[in-house]
């Protein structure tokens, strides 16, 4: 059996809905961040997640140097912020939007995020075109009632919040 063509794989992956996140490292004085949908839980003991980052990303070096990784899960009202962080803007320009603070690692934390996972990178594995970064969670913030933002079929979609 032949491997699927890249275009067929990408088209099928567009049907795999994913939360939209801004992933950060660095400090409030020297912040680095990018928009990512390739984020998932690995285990809850110890609480660990993974983030995939394209090897050609200009943000990549900072994650190797700093050791901190913060996943900020965006709300349905933060679609513009997602686009802002996915644009060719400089890192300094990206962080002019939103309100930023820090938790345990010192990486920038988006105050308005639906949830934040402040992590220490435990390992980085190179797979194909991407770096897979594993982060052990050091701190968490959650804002109850926030509606979610997902990316599906190359478009943003809102997920309503339902309690209970």
């Amino acid at each position: 059996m032949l491997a699927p063509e890249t275009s067929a794989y990408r088209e099928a992956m567009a049907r795999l809905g994913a939360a939209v996140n801004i992933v950060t490292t660095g400090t409030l004085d020297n912040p680095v961040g990018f928009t990512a949908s390739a984020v998932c839980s690995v285990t809850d003991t110890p609480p660990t997640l993974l983030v995939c980052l394209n090897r050609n990303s200009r943000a990549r070096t900072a994650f190797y140097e700093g050791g901190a990784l913060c996943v900020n899960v965006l709300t349905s009202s933060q679609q513009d912020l997602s686009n802002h962080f996915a644009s060719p803007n400089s890192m300094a320009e990206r962080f002019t939007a939103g309100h930023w603070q820090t938790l345990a690692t010192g990486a920038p934390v988006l105050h308005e995020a639906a949830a934040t996972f402040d992590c220490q990178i435990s390992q980085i594995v190179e797979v194909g075109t991407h770096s897979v970064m594993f982060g052990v969670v050091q701190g968490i913030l959650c804002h109850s009632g926030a509606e979610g933002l997902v990316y599906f079929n190359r478009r943003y979609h809102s997920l309503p919040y339902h309690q209970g």
Side-chain angles (χ1 to χ4, degrees), residues 65-127:
E65 292 171 350
L69 176 149
C70 186
V71 175
N72 299 280
V73 182
L74 298 186
T75 68
S76 60
S77 65
Q78 294 171 320
Q79 190 173 316
D80 288 342
L81 190 60
S82 170
N83 291 332
H84 184 68
F85 269 76
S87 76
N89 290 332
S90 71
M91 291 301 166
E93 289 171 326
R94 290 178 183 189
F95 285 88
T96 59
H99 299 93
W100 300 92
Q101 62 190 55
T102 61
L103 290 176
T105 69
V109 170
L110 180 63
H111 178 72
E112 303 90 350
T116 297
F117 301 90
D118 189 30
C119 305
Q120 191 67 40
I121 296 172
S122 62
Q123 64 179 310
I124 301 176
V125 178
E126 303 300 331
V127 179

Side-chain angles (χ1 to χ4, degrees), residues 20-31:
V20 181
N21 310 277
I22 292 177
V23 180
T24 64
T25 193
T27 64
L28 292 178
D29 292 330
N30 190 21

